[in-house]
C-alpha cells in the first residue's frame, strides 16, 4: 500500500478571492481536512463547495493527535491541514505534524498562498531584502530579553500583534529601539479596511493611543541603521 501525503494548504486571511485554484483542488481530493476551528473552516469549505470530512487540530490537542494522524497517512490517506486564516505553521499549529511526517519519511507539501506578513512587509515601504520574522512577542517571560536582542539587529523586524496589546508593544519598541526608529502598523491585510500607518515609533505610539486599533495587525520595524553605518565606516577605515 502506498502511503499518503500531508498537504499544508493556505487559506485566505480576509479576501476569499485569495484562495488558489490548486488549494481548492487539493482540499477536494483529500481524505480528511484538519482545521484549527471546524466552524470557521466550515464556512470556507461551503463557499467553495468542498465536502470532505473535517477534524479539529489546534494548539490544545496537536500533541495527542500527531501519532494517529501519521499512522493514517502511512496507511494511505491524504490529509490536508488548514488554519483559520493564512499558512499553517506560521504562528499557527502545523510544525509538530510536519516534523513528525518528515521523520517518518512521509511527503509534506506546502502550497504557496496567503500569509499576512509578506504583503505587510513589501507594502510598508521599509527595507524588505533582509528581515527577521518574530511572530508574536512573549507576553511576559522573556519579553525584555527578546527586545534587547532585537534592538541592534540590522534587519527589518516583523511582529504580529493583537489590537489589545498594540499600544503596549509600540511603547516597548520605543523604549528599547528608540523613539526615532521608523515603523509601520499594518492592519486588516487584504480586507476592506486595510490600512498602513508608517511613522516613527514615537508618533505611532501617540496616534494609536488616541485611536484604538481593530483587526489583525502586523508591525514592521526598520533595522538598526546605526549598526549598519558603523560597519560601513569600519570597512572604509580599513581600506
Amino acid at each position: 500500500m502506498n502511503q499518503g501525503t500531508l498537504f499544508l494548504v493556505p487559506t485566505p486571511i480576509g479576501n476569499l478571492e485569495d484562495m488558489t485554484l490548486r488549494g481548492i483542488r487539493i482540499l477536494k481530493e483529500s481524505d480528511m481536512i484538519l482545521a484549527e476551528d471546524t466552524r470557521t473552516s466550515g464556512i470556507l469549505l461551503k463557499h467553495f463547495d468542498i465536502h470532505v470530512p473535517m477534524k479539529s487540530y489546534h494548539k490544545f490537542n496537536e500533541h495527542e493527535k500527531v501519532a494517529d494522524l501519521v499512522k493514517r497517512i502511512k496507511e494511505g490517506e491524504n490529509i490536508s491541514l488548514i488554519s483559520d486564516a493564512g499558512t499553517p505553521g506560521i504562528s499557527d499549529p502545523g510544525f509538530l505534524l510536519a516534523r513528525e511526517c518528515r521523520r517518518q519519511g512521509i511527503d509534506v507539501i506546502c502550497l504557496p498562498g496567503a500569509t499576512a506578513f509578506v504583503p505587510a512587509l513589501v507594502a510598508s515601504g521599509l527595507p524588505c531584502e533582509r528581515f527577521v520574522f518574530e511572530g508574536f512577542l512573549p507576553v511576559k517571560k522573556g519579553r525584555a530579553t527578546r527586545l534587547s536582542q532585537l534592538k541592534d539587529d540590522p534587519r527589518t523586524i516583523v511582529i504580529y500583534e493583537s489590537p489589545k496589546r498594540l499600544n503596549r508593544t509600540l511603547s516597548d519598541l520605543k523604549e528599547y529601539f528608540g523613539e526615532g526608529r521608523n515603523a509601520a502598523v499594518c492592519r486588516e491585510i487584504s480586507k476592506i479596511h486595510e490600512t498602513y500607518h508608517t511613522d516613527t515609533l514615537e508618533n505611532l505610539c501617540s496616534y494609536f493611543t488616541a485611536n484604538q486599533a481593530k483587526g489583525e495587525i502586523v508591525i514592521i520595524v526598520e533595522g538598526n541603521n546605526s549598526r549598519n553605518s558603523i560597519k560601513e565606516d569600519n570597512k572604509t577605515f580599513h581600506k
Side-chain angles (χ1 to χ4, degrees):
M1 177 185 295
N2 294 329
Q3 65 182 11
T5 299
L6 172 66
F7 293 96
L8 307 176
V9 182
T11 54
I13 58 175
N15 192 324
L16 289 176
E17 293 180 357
D18 292 335
M19 188 70 190
T20 68
L21 295 175
R22 184 185 178 201
I24 295 170
R25 177 180 62 80
I26 291 295
L27 291 178
K28 286 185 175 182
E29 294 175 354
S30 297
D31 296 296
M32 181 196 303
I33 296 172
L34 303 176
E36 191 175 4
D37 186 326
T38 55
R39 294 167 299 180
T40 299
S41 296
I43 297 171
L44 178 77
L45 299 189
K46 182 178 180 180
H47 179 83
F48 289 108
D49 196 29
I50 299 170
H51 305 281
V52 172
M54 272 195 301
K55 286 189 177 293
S56 65
Y57 182 86
H58 47 72
K59 64 181 180 180
F60 300 109
N61 69 6
E62 59 178 334
H63 284 86
E64 64 190 58
K65 290 204 169 190
V66 165
D68 178 63
L69 292 170
V70 169
K71 178 175 180 292
R72 296 180 71 152
I73 296 172
K74 294 192 80 169
E75 290 174 349
E77 291 190 36
N78 291 316
I79 294 180
S80 287
L81 172 63
I82 60 178
S83 62
D84 287 349
T87 300
I90 304 297
S91 297
D92 282 317
F95 163 69
L96 292 178
L97 182 56
R99 179 180 65 180
E100 190 58 29
C101 284
R102 284 294 183 192
R103 285 178 175 174
Q104 298 281 347
I106 294 170
D107 288 336
V108 179
I109 297 177
C110 181
L111 278 62
T115 189
F117 80 85
V118 173
L121 172 64
V122 175
S124 70
L126 294 171
C128 55
E129 67 273 10
R130 295 180 67 234
F131 64 91
V132 55
F133 175 70
E134 284 298 307
F136 290 93
L137 292 172
V139 177
K140 294 181 181 178
K141 185 178 179 180
R143 185 179 180 91
T145 300
R146 194 72 196 110
L147 288 168
S148 295
Q149 293 170 339
L150 289 170
K151 70 178 182 179
D152 292 324
D153 198 314
R155 298 170 294 180
T156 300
I157 299 160
V158 182
I159 298 168
Y160 282 169
E161 193 50 279
S162 72
K164 294 181 180 179
R165 291 197 299 266
L166 176 61
N167 290 344
R168 177 197 172 193
T169 295
L170 289 175
S171 179
D172 287 346
L173 290 170
K174 182 179 75 169
E175 177 184 348
Y176 282 87
F177 293 14
E179 60 186 24
R181 187 81 70 94
N182 291 316
V185 174
C186 315
R187 190 178 69 84
E188 296 289 83
I189 302 299
S190 87
K191 301 177 184 177
I192 295 174
H193 300 294
E194 178 175 341
T195 57
Y196 292 79
H197 295 273
T198 304
D199 210 323
T200 63
L201 286 170
E202 180 179 27
N203 289 339
L204 288 172
C205 281
S206 298
Y207 177 84
F208 284 104
T209 297
N211 300 274
Q212 180 63 46
K214 296 180 180 180
E216 302 293 328
I217 292 169
V218 184
I219 304 171
I220 312 292
V221 188
E222 72 173 342
N224 190 333
N225 292 323
S226 63
R227 186 174 176 181
N228 290 334
S229 298
I230 293 171
K231 287 184 177 181
E232 290 301 319
D233 289 343
N234 287 338
K235 286 180 183 178
T236 303
F237 182 79
H238 290 293
K239 281 185 179 178

